[in-house]
Amino acid sequence: MKIPMKPLTKAVCARDKIALERELARAQIKQAQASLVEASRLGYRDIAEIILKKEGVLFSHHNFKAMAVAAGEGHKDLVSFYWDLLPPFDKAQHMHQAAFLQASAMAVQKNKRDILEYLFEKPLPPQTMKLNGLLNGAVMCGAGECLTFLLSKNTQPLDKNLLSVCASEGHVKLMKDLFPFFKTMPPYVEALNHAVSSGKLNTVACLLDEKDYGGHVNFSLLLERAVAAKNKEIVALLFPYADRKRLTDFLDRSHVFARMNEGSENFLYLQHLLQSTESRE
């Protein structure tokens, strides 16, 4: 059953200023602040201005959520309106930092690069420019436009886990964008392990194409993980890289377990691959 809309929310959504004034007159402060968030979601600056005139509803750290919601929806004019309500930067750096962190996180989550660019134009405390949190958010959400912008602004060493997050989420394009920033082998090895464990065939294939892992990766162990994860495509992809003797030992150790479990299909498939290779040789 559909829950009926509350009168204050209904007035906001309808952009009915007369009804809004009437409902605000009897609304509690928390209700008014919630209606400010709804106005921000819809991008109604005129409605937000009316709500902020209610006694006790001040734009402060209590309702930075309104700015964050506007940022996530891409309402740049409303984000700018809220930002201009903040106290001067030299008197309230902590408020500017808190507002930036909340709004930029939502902008990244929704991949709103234009909002992110606007926020970065503002004066900010130096510690705010440690961007690994936003970078992690961008790769988790697949926010390619925001990732590109953040990489252009970043001056700190990148978190080595960024590749692994991309690999686990299956974001091939974003992972390729990060490759130039990682010169050593360990982040690639970790990413490959995460891609296999997460069953992401596309990022496994991409990582295998990017590097010659040589002795850095135990492919037989990776293959065992792919079998355990019941991912036949990854089993086939990793098979040519694995040590045949170790695989034979693995099959010998595992045959009883495989027969006792319904998930033995990949075990049998690996056995088939090994036997087919041996017959060709």
Side-chain angles (χ1 to χ4, degrees):
M1 187 178 73
K2 190 174 181 180
I3 300 174
M5 194 178 291
K6 293 180 180 179
L8 180 56
T9 305
K10 187 175 181 179
V12 170
C13 293
R15 218 169 187 171
D16 186 335
K17 296 178 183 179
I18 295 175
L20 178 64
E21 296 275 13
R22 182 178 66 247
E23 296 302 326
L24 281 173
R26 53 194 180 196
Q28 296 179 353
I29 298 300
K30 286 186 177 180
Q31 293 172 322
Q33 288 174 332
S35 70
L36 184 65
V37 173
E38 184 63 19
S40 300
R41 183 183 69 81
L42 296 168
Y44 294 165
R45 173 172 171 170
D46 54 341
I47 298 298
E49 289 177 350
I50 293 172
I51 296 169
L52 285 168
K53 288 177 183 176
K54 178 177 172 63
E55 185 177 356
V57 181
L58 301 174
F59 185 74
S60 68
H61 64 280
H62 294 296
N63 47 32
F64 283 160
K65 183 179 179 181
M67 181 192 289
V69 168
E73 295 298 327
H75 302 312
K76 186 176 177 180
D77 61 329
L78 201 45
V79 174
S80 175
F81 166 67
Y82 287 138
W83 195 275
D84 290 341
L85 295 177
L86 292 172
F89 174 72
D90 57 348
K91 296 181 180 179
Q93 289 192 22
H94 64 290
M95 288 185 67
H96 284 249
Q97 182 177 9
F100 171 84
L101 290 174
Q102 290 189 41
S104 60
M106 190 64 76
V108 166
Q109 184 178 327
K110 298 295 185 70
N111 202 21
K112 303 294 184 183
R113 175 171 175 161
D114 59 328
I115 302 295
L116 205 56
E117 289 175 347
Y118 168 79
L119 292 169
F120 270 80
E121 292 171 357
K122 301 302 175 186
L124 296 166
Q127 63 269 28
T128 309
M129 300 312 293
K130 295 178 181 179
L131 303 181
N132 273 323
L134 288 175
L135 286 163
N136 269 288
V139 297
M140 287 187 71
C141 297
E145 290 296 316
C146 286
L147 178 64
T148 300
F149 175 73
L150 289 169
L151 288 172
S152 73
K153 291 293 183 180
N154 184 61
T155 58
Q156 304 290 324
L158 289 183
D159 183 346
K160 66 179 183 179
N161 293 321
L162 286 176
L163 275 184
S164 294
V165 175
C166 277
S168 297
E169 297 295 329
H171 298 316
V172 170
K173 185 182 182 303
L174 273 63
M175 196 164 63
K176 288 181 177 179
D177 291 342
L178 289 171
F179 282 161
F181 297 90
F182 293 94
K183 306 299 183 184
T184 60
M185 189 60 75
Y188 291 89
V189 174
E190 274 301 304
L192 186 58
N193 274 285
H194 279 81
V196 171
S197 298
S198 302
K200 295 296 189 288
L201 179 66
N202 57 348
T203 48
V204 172
C206 179
L207 286 161
L208 290 175
D209 288 342
E210 179 65 18
K211 291 288 183 183
D212 178 6
Y213 292 89
H216 294 279
V217 172
N218 185 335
F219 280 102
S220 298
L221 184 58
L222 275 183
L223 194 52
E224 292 175 22
R225 288 181 184 169
V227 170
K230 304 178 184 179
N231 196 307
K232 189 174 182 178
E233 291 83 3
I234 293 180
V235 169
L237 191 61
L238 293 175
F239 179 76
Y241 297 89
D243 178 80
R244 300 293 186 269
K245 184 179 184 306
R246 176 157 183 154
L247 285 183
T248 301
D249 292 342
F250 168 65
L251 290 168
D252 288 343
R253 293 195 314 271
S254 307
H255 74 281
V256 175
F257 171 80
R259 288 173 183 171
M260 292 171 60
N261 284 271
E262 294 178 0
S264 62
E265 180 183 349
N266 287 317
F267 172 87
L268 297 173
Y269 178 62
L270 177 58
Q271 191 174 51
H272 165 71
L273 288 175
L274 189 59
Q275 288 171 349
S276 298
T277 303
E278 289 172 349
S279 64
R280 288 196 301 270
E281 294 173 350

